PDB file of all heavy atoms in Angstrom:
ATOM      1  N   SER B  52      90.241 -93.532 -48.499  1.00 82.00           N
ATOM      2  CA  SER B  52      91.647 -93.008 -48.641  1.00 82.00           C
ATOM      3  C   SER B  52      92.483 -93.953 -49.478  1.00 82.00           C
ATOM      4  O   SER B  52      92.011 -94.937 -49.886  1.00 82.00           O
ATOM      5  CB  SER B  52      92.304 -92.846 -47.277  1.00 82.00           C
ATOM      6  OG  SER B  52      92.066 -94.055 -46.603  1.00 82.00           O
ATOM      7  N   GLN B  53      93.767 -93.583 -49.741  1.00 87.00           N
ATOM      8  CA  GLN B  53      94.600 -94.454 -50.642  1.00 87.00           C
ATOM      9  C   GLN B  53      95.142 -95.559 -49.827  1.00 87.00           C
ATOM     10  O   GLN B  53      95.771 -95.290 -48.698  1.00 87.00           O
ATOM     11  CB  GLN B  53      95.637 -93.616 -51.184  1.00 87.00           C
ATOM     12  CG  GLN B  53      95.099 -92.573 -52.128  1.00 87.00           C
ATOM     13  CD  GLN B  53      96.075 -92.016 -53.130  1.00 87.00           C
ATOM     14  OE1 GLN B  53      96.404 -92.619 -54.121  1.00 87.00           O
ATOM     15  NE2 GLN B  53      96.757 -90.913 -52.801  1.00 87.00           N
ATOM     16  N   VAL B  54      95.201 -96.704 -50.266  1.00 92.00           N
ATOM     17  CA  VAL B  54      95.666 -97.836 -49.536  1.00 92.00           C
ATOM     18  C   VAL B  54      96.425 -98.733 -50.601  1.00 92.00           C
ATOM     19  O   VAL B  54      95.994 -99.000 -51.637  1.00 92.00           O
ATOM     20  CB  VAL B  54      94.591 -98.806 -48.950  1.00 92.00           C
ATOM     21  CG1 VAL B  54      95.114 -99.981 -48.305  1.00 92.00           C
ATOM     22  CG2 VAL B  54      93.821 -97.953 -47.905  1.00 92.00           C
ATOM     23  N   TRP B  55      97.679 -99.197 -50.127  1.00 95.00           N
ATOM     24  CA  TRP B  55      98.470-100.127 -50.964  1.00 95.00           C
ATOM     25  C   TRP B  55      98.800-101.331 -50.114  1.00 95.00           C
ATOM     26  O   TRP B  55      99.237-101.174 -48.927  1.00 95.00           O
ATOM     27  CB  TRP B  55      99.759 -99.436 -51.464  1.00 95.00           C
ATOM     28  CG  TRP B  55      99.508 -98.211 -52.216  1.00 95.00           C
ATOM     29  CD1 TRP B  55      99.337 -98.150 -53.666  1.00 95.00           C
ATOM     30  CD2 TRP B  55      99.410 -96.956 -51.878  1.00 95.00           C
ATOM     31  NE1 TRP B  55      99.204 -96.937 -54.035  1.00 95.00           N
ATOM     32  CE2 TRP B  55      99.173 -96.047 -52.942  1.00 95.00           C
ATOM     33  CE3 TRP B  55      99.458 -96.271 -50.543  1.00 95.00           C
ATOM     34  CZ2 TRP B  55      99.123 -94.687 -52.883  1.00 95.00           C
ATOM     35  CZ3 TRP B  55      99.302 -94.919 -50.381  1.00 95.00           C
ATOM     36  CH2 TRP B  55      99.120 -94.113 -51.607  1.00 95.00           C
ATOM     37  N   LEU B  56      98.685-102.509 -50.665  1.00 95.00           N
ATOM     38  CA  LEU B  56      99.166-103.754 -49.976  1.00 95.00           C
ATOM     39  C   LEU B  56     100.076-104.474 -50.967  1.00 95.00           C
ATOM     40  O   LEU B  56      99.771-104.771 -52.090  1.00 95.00           O
ATOM     41  CB  LEU B  56      97.949-104.660 -49.586  1.00 95.00           C
ATOM     42  CG  LEU B  56      96.997-104.072 -48.667  1.00 95.00           C
ATOM     43  CD1 LEU B  56      95.818-105.116 -48.338  1.00 95.00           C
ATOM     44  CD2 LEU B  56      97.713-103.826 -47.296  1.00 95.00           C
ATOM     45  N   HIS B  57     101.320-104.750 -50.578  1.00 95.00           N
ATOM     46  CA  HIS B  57     102.289-105.398 -51.281  1.00 95.00           C
ATOM     47  C   HIS B  57     102.574-106.767 -50.771  1.00 95.00           C
ATOM     48  O   HIS B  57     103.186-106.793 -49.607  1.00 95.00           O
ATOM     49  CB  HIS B  57     103.659-104.489 -51.378  1.00 95.00           C
ATOM     50  CG  HIS B  57     104.704-105.164 -52.161  1.00 95.00           C
ATOM     51  ND1 HIS B  57     104.607-105.589 -53.474  1.00 95.00           N
ATOM     52  CD2 HIS B  57     105.988-105.522 -51.764  1.00 95.00           C
ATOM     53  CE1 HIS B  57     105.634-106.097 -53.897  1.00 95.00           C
ATOM     54  NE2 HIS B  57     106.561-106.037 -52.908  1.00 95.00           N
ATOM     55  N   MET B  58     102.135-107.809 -51.394  1.00 92.00           N
ATOM     56  CA  MET B  58     102.253-109.197 -50.833  1.00 92.00           C
ATOM     57  C   MET B  58     103.588-109.806 -51.284  1.00 92.00           C
ATOM     58  O   MET B  58     103.948-109.690 -52.454  1.00 92.00           O
ATOM     59  CB  MET B  58     101.043-110.020 -51.373  1.00 92.00           C
ATOM     60  CG  MET B  58      99.789-109.276 -51.412  1.00 92.00           C
ATOM     61  SD  MET B  58      99.022-109.134 -49.832  1.00 92.00           S
ATOM     62  CE  MET B  58      97.651-108.142 -50.128  1.00 92.00           C
ATOM     63  N   THR B  59     104.191-110.436 -50.308  1.00 90.00           N
ATOM     64  CA  THR B  59     105.530-111.012 -50.630  1.00 90.00           C
ATOM     65  C   THR B  59     105.530-112.386 -49.943  1.00 90.00           C
ATOM     66  O   THR B  59     106.328-112.737 -48.862  1.00 90.00           O
ATOM     67  CB  THR B  59     106.657-110.193 -50.066  1.00 90.00           C
ATOM     68  OG1 THR B  59     106.485-109.967 -48.706  1.00 90.00           O
ATOM     69  CG2 THR B  59     106.805-108.960 -50.916  1.00 90.00           C
ATOM     70  N   PRO B  60     104.752-113.386 -50.315  1.00 87.00           N
ATOM     71  CA  PRO B  60     104.688-114.748 -49.713  1.00 87.00           C
ATOM     72  C   PRO B  60     106.062-115.388 -49.993  1.00 87.00           C
ATOM     73  O   PRO B  60     106.694-115.267 -51.041  1.00 87.00           O
ATOM     74  CB  PRO B  60     103.566-115.476 -50.523  1.00 87.00           C
ATOM     75  CG  PRO B  60     103.408-114.765 -51.778  1.00 87.00           C
ATOM     76  CD  PRO B  60     103.796-113.245 -51.478  1.00 87.00           C
ATOM     77  N   GLU B  61     106.581-116.034 -48.993  1.00 89.00           N
ATOM     78  CA  GLU B  61     107.881-116.637 -49.088  1.00 89.00           C
ATOM     79  C   GLU B  61     107.908-117.939 -48.304  1.00 89.00           C
ATOM     80  O   GLU B  61     107.521-117.969 -47.123  1.00 89.00           O
ATOM     81  CB  GLU B  61     108.918-115.741 -48.512  1.00 89.00           C
ATOM     82  CG  GLU B  61     110.268-116.092 -49.020  1.00 89.00           C
ATOM     83  CD  GLU B  61     111.411-115.158 -48.359  1.00 89.00           C
ATOM     84  OE1 GLU B  61     111.124-113.911 -48.254  1.00 89.00           O
ATOM     85  OE2 GLU B  61     112.396-115.797 -47.878  1.00 89.00           O
ATOM     86  N   GLY B  62     108.456-119.062 -48.899  1.00 89.00           N
ATOM     87  CA  GLY B  62     108.558-120.291 -48.250  1.00 89.00           C
ATOM     88  C   GLY B  62     107.184-120.901 -47.680  1.00 89.00           C
ATOM     89  O   GLY B  62     107.191-121.336 -46.538  1.00 89.00           O
ATOM     90  N   GLY B  63     106.150-120.672 -48.310  1.00 92.00           N
ATOM     91  CA  GLY B  63     104.841-121.184 -47.861  1.00 92.00           C
ATOM     92  C   GLY B  63     104.160-120.288 -46.761  1.00 92.00           C
ATOM     93  O   GLY B  63     103.215-120.532 -46.257  1.00 92.00           O
ATOM     94  N   ALA B  64     104.874-119.219 -46.437  1.00 94.00           N
ATOM     95  CA  ALA B  64     104.288-118.292 -45.381  1.00 94.00           C
ATOM     96  C   ALA B  64     103.910-116.993 -46.113  1.00 94.00           C
ATOM     97  O   ALA B  64     104.418-116.496 -47.079  1.00 94.00           O
ATOM     98  CB  ALA B  64     105.406-118.030 -44.346  1.00 94.00           C
ATOM     99  N   PHE B  65     102.868-116.389 -45.526  1.00 95.00           N
ATOM    100  CA  PHE B  65     102.353-115.110 -45.897  1.00 95.00           C
ATOM    101  C   PHE B  65     103.023-113.939 -45.402  1.00 95.00           C
ATOM    102  O   PHE B  65     103.196-113.811 -44.207  1.00 95.00           O
ATOM    103  CB  PHE B  65     100.864-115.006 -45.571  1.00 95.00           C
ATOM    104  CG  PHE B  65     100.119-113.822 -46.275  1.00 95.00           C
ATOM    105  CD1 PHE B  65      99.774-113.858 -47.635  1.00 95.00           C
ATOM    106  CD2 PHE B  65      99.678-112.813 -45.462  1.00 95.00           C
ATOM    107  CE1 PHE B  65      99.244-112.723 -48.165  1.00 95.00           C
ATOM    108  CE2 PHE B  65      99.023-111.604 -46.096  1.00 95.00           C
ATOM    109  CZ  PHE B  65      98.953-111.711 -47.382  1.00 95.00           C
ATOM    110  N   HIS B  66     103.476-112.946 -46.251  1.00 95.00           N
ATOM    111  CA  HIS B  66     104.120-111.815 -45.875  1.00 95.00           C
ATOM    112  C   HIS B  66     103.565-110.663 -46.575  1.00 95.00           C
ATOM    113  O   HIS B  66     103.206-110.855 -47.857  1.00 95.00           O
ATOM    114  CB  HIS B  66     105.643-111.780 -45.955  1.00 95.00           C
ATOM    115  CG  HIS B  66     106.213-112.839 -45.029  1.00 95.00           C
ATOM    116  ND1 HIS B  66     106.464-112.590 -43.756  1.00 95.00           N
ATOM    117  CD2 HIS B  66     106.817-114.104 -45.226  1.00 95.00           C
ATOM    118  CE1 HIS B  66     107.004-113.652 -43.035  1.00 95.00           C
ATOM    119  NE2 HIS B  66     107.220-114.639 -44.051  1.00 95.00           N
ATOM    120  N   PHE B  67     103.437-109.525 -46.001  1.00 95.00           N
ATOM    121  CA  PHE B  67     103.024-108.309 -46.822  1.00 95.00           C
ATOM    122  C   PHE B  67     103.502-106.973 -46.131  1.00 95.00           C
ATOM    123  O   PHE B  67     103.807-106.949 -44.880  1.00 95.00           O
ATOM    124  CB  PHE B  67     101.538-108.291 -46.987  1.00 95.00           C
ATOM    125  CG  PHE B  67     100.752-107.869 -45.872  1.00 95.00           C
ATOM    126  CD1 PHE B  67     100.200-106.558 -45.706  1.00 95.00           C
ATOM    127  CD2 PHE B  67     100.409-108.736 -44.751  1.00 95.00           C
ATOM    128  CE1 PHE B  67      99.496-106.180 -44.672  1.00 95.00           C
ATOM    129  CE2 PHE B  67      99.641-108.250 -43.700  1.00 95.00           C
ATOM    130  CZ  PHE B  67      99.241-106.907 -43.693  1.00 95.00           C
ATOM    131  N   GLN B  68     103.547-106.031 -46.950  1.00 95.00           N
ATOM    132  CA  GLN B  68     103.778-104.617 -46.433  1.00 95.00           C
ATOM    133  C   GLN B  68     102.661-103.796 -46.955  1.00 95.00           C
ATOM    134  O   GLN B  68     102.070-104.125 -48.040  1.00 95.00           O
ATOM    135  CB  GLN B  68     104.998-104.080 -47.103  1.00 95.00           C
ATOM    136  CG  GLN B  68     106.370-104.562 -46.678  1.00 95.00           C
ATOM    137  CD  GLN B  68     107.359-103.845 -47.431  1.00 95.00           C
ATOM    138  OE1 GLN B  68     107.770-104.366 -48.558  1.00 95.00           O
ATOM    139  NE2 GLN B  68     108.002-102.746 -46.968  1.00 95.00           N
ATOM    140  N   GLY B  69     102.257-102.793 -46.225  1.00 95.00           N
ATOM    141  CA  GLY B  69     101.126-101.987 -46.623  1.00 95.00           C
ATOM    142  C   GLY B  69     101.384-100.440 -46.194  1.00 95.00           C
ATOM    143  O   GLY B  69     102.293-100.148 -45.371  1.00 95.00           O
ATOM    144  N   ASP B  70     100.504 -99.569 -46.887  1.00 95.00           N
ATOM    145  CA  ASP B  70     100.646 -98.184 -46.446  1.00 95.00           C
ATOM    146  C   ASP B  70      99.368 -97.535 -46.878  1.00 95.00           C
ATOM    147  O   ASP B  70      98.516 -98.057 -47.580  1.00 95.00           O
ATOM    148  CB  ASP B  70     101.765 -97.597 -47.245  1.00 95.00           C
ATOM    149  CG  ASP B  70     102.522 -96.439 -46.478  1.00 95.00           C
ATOM    150  OD1 ASP B  70     101.804 -95.812 -45.621  1.00 95.00           O
ATOM    151  OD2 ASP B  70     103.647 -96.052 -46.871  1.00 95.00           O
ATOM    152  N   SER B  71      99.077 -96.376 -46.233  1.00 93.00           N
ATOM    153  CA  SER B  71      98.031 -95.480 -46.545  1.00 93.00           C
ATOM    154  C   SER B  71      98.317 -94.141 -46.210  1.00 93.00           C
ATOM    155  O   SER B  71      99.214 -93.765 -45.447  1.00 93.00           O
ATOM    156  CB  SER B  71      96.757 -95.980 -45.689  1.00 93.00           C
ATOM    157  OG  SER B  71      95.684 -94.974 -45.933  1.00 93.00           O
ATOM    158  N   ASP B  72      97.627 -93.164 -46.971  1.00 89.00           N
ATOM    159  CA  ASP B  72      97.838 -91.815 -46.695  1.00 89.00           C
ATOM    160  C   ASP B  72      97.021 -91.304 -45.513  1.00 89.00           C
ATOM    161  O   ASP B  72      97.097 -90.196 -45.061  1.00 89.00           O
ATOM    162  CB  ASP B  72      97.583 -90.876 -47.893  1.00 89.00           C
ATOM    163  CG  ASP B  72      96.170 -91.127 -48.597  1.00 89.00           C
ATOM    164  OD1 ASP B  72      95.420 -91.943 -48.083  1.00 89.00           O
ATOM    165  OD2 ASP B  72      95.789 -90.306 -49.483  1.00 89.00           O
ATOM    166  N   ALA B  73      96.134 -92.114 -45.044  1.00 89.00           N
ATOM    167  CA  ALA B  73      95.343 -91.877 -43.799  1.00 89.00           C
ATOM    168  C   ALA B  73      96.001 -92.619 -42.603  1.00 89.00           C
ATOM    169  O   ALA B  73      96.246 -93.810 -42.734  1.00 89.00           O
ATOM    170  CB  ALA B  73      93.939 -92.252 -44.027  1.00 89.00           C
ATOM    171  N   LEU B  74      96.181 -91.848 -41.498  1.00 91.00           N
ATOM    172  CA  LEU B  74      96.829 -92.454 -40.377  1.00 91.00           C
ATOM    173  C   LEU B  74      96.122 -93.642 -39.676  1.00 91.00           C
ATOM    174  O   LEU B  74      96.631 -94.592 -39.192  1.00 91.00           O
ATOM    175  CB  LEU B  74      97.299 -91.384 -39.358  1.00 91.00           C
ATOM    176  CG  LEU B  74      98.333 -90.449 -39.804  1.00 91.00           C
ATOM    177  CD1 LEU B  74      98.508 -89.286 -38.709  1.00 91.00           C
ATOM    178  CD2 LEU B  74      99.720 -91.269 -39.818  1.00 91.00           C
ATOM    179  N   ILE B  75      94.785 -93.385 -39.546  1.00 90.00           N
ATOM    180  CA  ILE B  75      94.045 -94.475 -38.785  1.00 90.00           C
ATOM    181  C   ILE B  75      93.975 -95.694 -39.704  1.00 90.00           C
ATOM    182  O   ILE B  75      94.075 -96.761 -39.217  1.00 90.00           O
ATOM    183  CB  ILE B  75      92.599 -93.907 -38.591  1.00 90.00           C
ATOM    184  CG1 ILE B  75      92.607 -92.733 -37.567  1.00 90.00           C
ATOM    185  CG2 ILE B  75      91.636 -94.945 -38.032  1.00 90.00           C
ATOM    186  CD1 ILE B  75      91.327 -92.092 -37.273  1.00 90.00           C
ATOM    187  N   VAL B  76      93.748 -95.469 -41.014  1.00 90.00           N
ATOM    188  CA  VAL B  76      93.900 -96.668 -41.870  1.00 90.00           C
ATOM    189  C   VAL B  76      95.178 -97.408 -41.809  1.00 90.00           C
ATOM    190  O   VAL B  76      95.254 -98.542 -41.810  1.00 90.00           O
ATOM    191  CB  VAL B  76      93.461 -96.254 -43.391  1.00 90.00           C
ATOM    192  CG1 VAL B  76      93.648 -97.474 -44.303  1.00 90.00           C
ATOM    193  CG2 VAL B  76      92.078 -95.682 -43.415  1.00 90.00           C
ATOM    194  N   LYS B  77      96.346 -96.623 -41.724  1.00 93.00           N
ATOM    195  CA  LYS B  77      97.600 -97.120 -41.734  1.00 93.00           C
ATOM    196  C   LYS B  77      97.693 -98.032 -40.386  1.00 93.00           C
ATOM    197  O   LYS B  77      98.365 -99.042 -40.345  1.00 93.00           O
ATOM    198  CB  LYS B  77      98.630 -95.996 -41.731  1.00 93.00           C
ATOM    199  CG  LYS B  77     100.056 -96.334 -42.151  1.00 93.00           C
ATOM    200  CD  LYS B  77     100.825 -95.122 -42.405  1.00 93.00           C
ATOM    201  CE  LYS B  77     102.264 -95.603 -42.512  1.00 93.00           C
ATOM    202  NZ  LYS B  77     103.238 -94.627 -42.616  1.00 93.00           N
ATOM    203  N   GLY B  78      97.099 -97.507 -39.331  1.00 93.00           N
ATOM    204  CA  GLY B  78      97.129 -98.175 -38.070  1.00 93.00           C
ATOM    205  C   GLY B  78      96.254 -99.606 -38.289  1.00 93.00           C
ATOM    206  O   GLY B  78      96.714-100.588 -37.730  1.00 93.00           O
ATOM    207  N   LEU B  79      95.256 -99.492 -39.048  1.00 91.00           N
ATOM    208  CA  LEU B  79      94.487-100.728 -39.306  1.00 91.00           C
ATOM    209  C   LEU B  79      95.296-101.700 -40.066  1.00 91.00           C
ATOM    210  O   LEU B  79      95.344-102.962 -39.804  1.00 91.00           O
ATOM    211  CB  LEU B  79      93.180-100.379 -40.052  1.00 91.00           C
ATOM    212  CG  LEU B  79      92.045 -99.816 -39.324  1.00 91.00           C
ATOM    213  CD1 LEU B  79      90.945 -99.488 -40.190  1.00 91.00           C
ATOM    214  CD2 LEU B  79      91.483-100.628 -38.116  1.00 91.00           C
ATOM    215  N   ILE B  80      96.110-101.196 -40.931  1.00 94.00           N
ATOM    216  CA  ILE B  80      97.046-102.051 -41.758  1.00 94.00           C
ATOM    217  C   ILE B  80      98.015-102.668 -40.743  1.00 94.00           C
ATOM    218  O   ILE B  80      98.336-103.942 -40.871  1.00 94.00           O
ATOM    219  CB  ILE B  80      97.741-101.313 -42.833  1.00 94.00           C
ATOM    220  CG1 ILE B  80      96.699-100.836 -43.869  1.00 94.00           C
ATOM    221  CG2 ILE B  80      98.783-102.133 -43.485  1.00 94.00           C
ATOM    222  CD1 ILE B  80      97.238 -99.794 -44.842  1.00 94.00           C
ATOM    223  N   ALA B  81      98.600-101.938 -39.835  1.00 95.00           N
ATOM    224  CA  ALA B  81      99.572-102.449 -38.927  1.00 95.00           C
ATOM    225  C   ALA B  81      98.896-103.539 -38.035  1.00 95.00           C
ATOM    226  O   ALA B  81      99.550-104.607 -37.716  1.00 95.00           O
ATOM    227  CB  ALA B  81     100.056-101.283 -37.982  1.00 95.00           C
TER     228      ALA B  81
END
Side-chain angles (χ1 to χ4, degrees):
Chain B
S52 49
Q53 299 199 81
V54 174
W55 300 269
L56 294 179
H57 176 58
M58 317 286 176
T59 53
E61 198 186 315
F65 185 73
H66 292 284
F67 78 99
Q68 287 174 275
D70 211 338
S71 171
D72 58 351
L74 287 173
I75 294 173
V76 176
K77 204 169 165 182
L79 288 176
I80 296 170

